[in-house]
Amino acid sequence: MKKTEPFLMQYFKSIITPTNVFKGKNLLTWPKMIFLFIFLIACMMMPTSIQMAKLTTFPFEFLFPRTAELITDDFVEALSSKQVKDGKLMGIDNQYAEEIGGNVIAIDKDNKYEITGEDQTFGIEGYANAVVFKEDYAVIAEDNGFGFQLYYPTNEEKYPFNVESKEDVLQYIGTLWYVQNKAFLLPILLLLLAGLYIAMNVLQFLFMSLVLWLTKKSNITDIRTFKEAANIVLNAAGLPTVLAVIYGFIQFDVATLIMIQGLGTVLMIAFTFFRTGFKEKGFKVDSDKA
């Protein structure tokens, strides 16, 4: 008796060519399709997890858009003459502050600006948005109640304080924030990206499966059930997902990964139609007996 191939091996064979994509339309049961759907999401998460773990900074303006707008060229110039050494901001020989419409940016030598709040709700008393550099730490606060006390790094070589422009200030603050909050931020970011991948794949999977299934009404194809249509879409998504994963290890960009997978699936389905017309044409269609 012929030994049945593992269904994963059957699936990998069915994603290689457009013809195999269609020939494999009856290979999988619903539980196996669900397993493979999760498997493809997990593959997409591999380069995502590795690249996210390599991050050393986070876009400051993404978290603090109003506060980021406060930073001026004068503030950058005042800050550029300072340096960080042994976890302290050195060279604070005078007080610098700009107070505009209930907001403040300052280099606080004399501890004039009092801190309020705790944990992730720090703020400067009397001000809605604030960027205040003190000797031992910086306070960043947004009027939505989101605020942090950021301590300067003791490893100046790894986190150099080179401030020559507004972008340098934003990047330095983003680096301090990410390093100090990476432990809780990384799992959240990965969950959000996993949710994004799942949502995009579910929408793509259901839409394409529905479109293929509706072709049965015209009798121009040999697709007769929604399960067959879903199996074809899952087969068509295999190779584009592999390509997206490879790209993700080389150069990481979430939007590009999603585009490669989505567009690649559409193209594979199109090639499958051109190659087979979604007609069995006398070739033997394998079935999964497991």
Side-chain angles (χ1 to χ4, degrees), residues 71-201:
I71 298 174
T72 63
D73 292 338
D74 290 340
F75 178 73
V76 173
E77 183 178 354
L79 201 59
S80 64
S81 62
K82 313 298 184 286
Q83 59 179 331
V84 171
K85 187 175 182 180
D86 297 327
K88 293 183 179 295
L89 185 65
M90 311 298 291
I92 305 181
D93 51 3
N94 53 44
Q95 187 88 5
Y96 176 91
E98 293 184 47
E99 300 179 7
I100 307 170
N103 306 314
V104 62
I105 54 175
I107 300 174
D108 190 12
K109 173 188 176 185
D110 303 322
N111 289 319
K112 171 184 175 182
Y113 298 97
E114 296 184 10
I115 302 176
T116 61
E118 58 183 4
D119 295 332
Q120 300 174 20
T121 60
F122 283 105
I124 296 296
E125 186 174 358
Y127 300 93
N129 302 294
V131 179
V132 177
F133 279 74
K134 294 177 176 288
E135 183 180 10
D136 297 313
Y137 53 83
V139 178
I140 312 298
E142 189 91 351
D143 59 8
N144 59 10
F146 200 39
F148 289 86
Q149 187 177 27
L150 306 177
Y151 289 92
Y152 306 119
T154 55
N155 188 342
E156 299 87 17
E157 293 184 358
K158 187 174 182 179
Y159 305 105
F161 185 77
N162 297 323
V163 175
E164 301 294 338
S165 65
K166 177 178 179 177
E167 288 70 27
D168 292 339
V169 176
L170 295 178
Q171 183 175 359
Y172 187 74
I173 295 173
T175 298
L176 294 185
W177 184 85
Y178 184 74
V179 169
Q180 293 180 25
N181 296 280
K182 185 175 182 178
F184 87 88
L185 179 65
L186 188 57
I188 292 175
L189 290 176
L190 290 176
L191 284 174
L192 289 175
L193 289 174
L196 177 62
Y197 289 148
I198 291 171
M200 296 300 295
N201 276 270

Side-chain angles (χ1 to χ4, degrees), residues 7 10 31 39 102-103 105 111 156 177 200 220 232 254 262 273:
F7 83 93
Q10 292 178 328
F39 174 76
N103 306 314
I105 54 175
N111 289 319
E156 299 87 17
W177 184 85
M200 296 300 295
I220 63 173
I232 290 172
V254 173
F273 177 74

Side-chain angles (χ1 to χ4, degrees), residues 202-214:
V202 166
L203 291 174
Q204 171 183 282
F205 182 81
L206 292 177
F207 177 75
M208 293 183 183
S209 299
L210 181 61
V211 170
L212 291 182
W213 177 62
L214 290 175

